[in-house]
């Protein structure tokens, strides 16, 4: 990662990861093995390795505060493996992963609208139990 102007680290784009993974595969003549099916199966294997990390831990608090540093490093490595295979798979399938993800977020916002506030209560789940709240209904 590159250092930003204020000493922080710059965010890494999907395009940067895609280019680095493409260069990595080309340098090793691995492109012939990177069919969508093979990449998907490799990613599933990495998801299995990621799952093993959590397998016997029970519920884990956000941020993994009780984890040792080496456990967090290992977690980062396995998360990275999954991400890198996902980026490579999206490239192999001709899908712009960034655009697809943004579109999916928009679709989810429509499918699962945020709760609407009323004077005395909040309605959740995009559903309502009384006739007082009407969503997109014509009269």
């Amino acid at each position: 990662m590159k250092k930003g102007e204020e000493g922080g680290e710059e965010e890494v784009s999907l395009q940067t990861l895609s280019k680095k993974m493409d260069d990595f595969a080309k340098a090793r003549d691995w492109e012939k093995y990177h069919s969508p099916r093979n990449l998907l199966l490799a990613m599933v294997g990495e998801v299995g390795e990621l799952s093993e990390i959590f397998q016997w831990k029970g519920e884990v608090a956000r941020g993994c505060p009780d984890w040792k540093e080496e456990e967090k490093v290992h977690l980062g490595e396995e998360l990275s493996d999954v991400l890198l295979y996902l980026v490579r798979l999206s490239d192999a399938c001709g899908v712009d992963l960034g655009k697809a993800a943004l579109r999916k977020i928009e679709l989810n916002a429509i499918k699962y609208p945020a709760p609407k506030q009323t004077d005395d209560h909040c309605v959740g789940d995009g559903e309502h139990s009384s006739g007082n709240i009407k969503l997109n209904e014509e009269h």
Side-chain angles (χ1 to χ4, degrees), residues 66-125:
D66 300 328
W67 288 30
K68 297 175 191 163
E69 184 59 28
E70 58 266 20
E71 290 177 307
K72 287 186 177 184
V73 168
H74 184 215
L75 175 61
E77 291 169 354
E78 297 305 332
L79 286 167
S80 297
D81 285 339
V82 172
L83 174 62
L84 293 172
Y85 273 118
L86 181 62
V87 168
R88 191 79 174 139
L89 175 61
S90 68
D91 287 346
C93 293
V95 172
D96 182 324
L97 188 57
K99 286 181 182 176
L102 290 175
R103 180 175 183 275
K104 185 62 177 176
I105 291 169
E106 290 173 2
L107 291 172
N108 284 344
I110 294 166
K111 187 174 182 180
Y112 307 104
K116 298 212 181 265
Q117 296 276 339
T118 62
D119 291 339
D120 56 358
H121 68 281
C122 192
V123 177
D125 299 329

Side-chain angles (χ1 to χ4, degrees), residues 38-53:
N38 287 350
L39 291 166
L40 173 64
L41 293 175
M43 185 179 71
V44 168
E46 295 299 338
V47 169
E49 291 181 29
L50 179 59
S51 299
E52 286 177 349
I53 294 172

Side-chain angles (χ1 to χ4, degrees), residues 13-27:
S13 71
L14 292 176
Q15 293 79 13
T16 298
L17 295 176
S18 175
K19 174 79 169 91
K20 287 185 175 288
M21 288 300 294
D22 190 52
D23 292 346
F24 186 88
K26 283 179 181 172

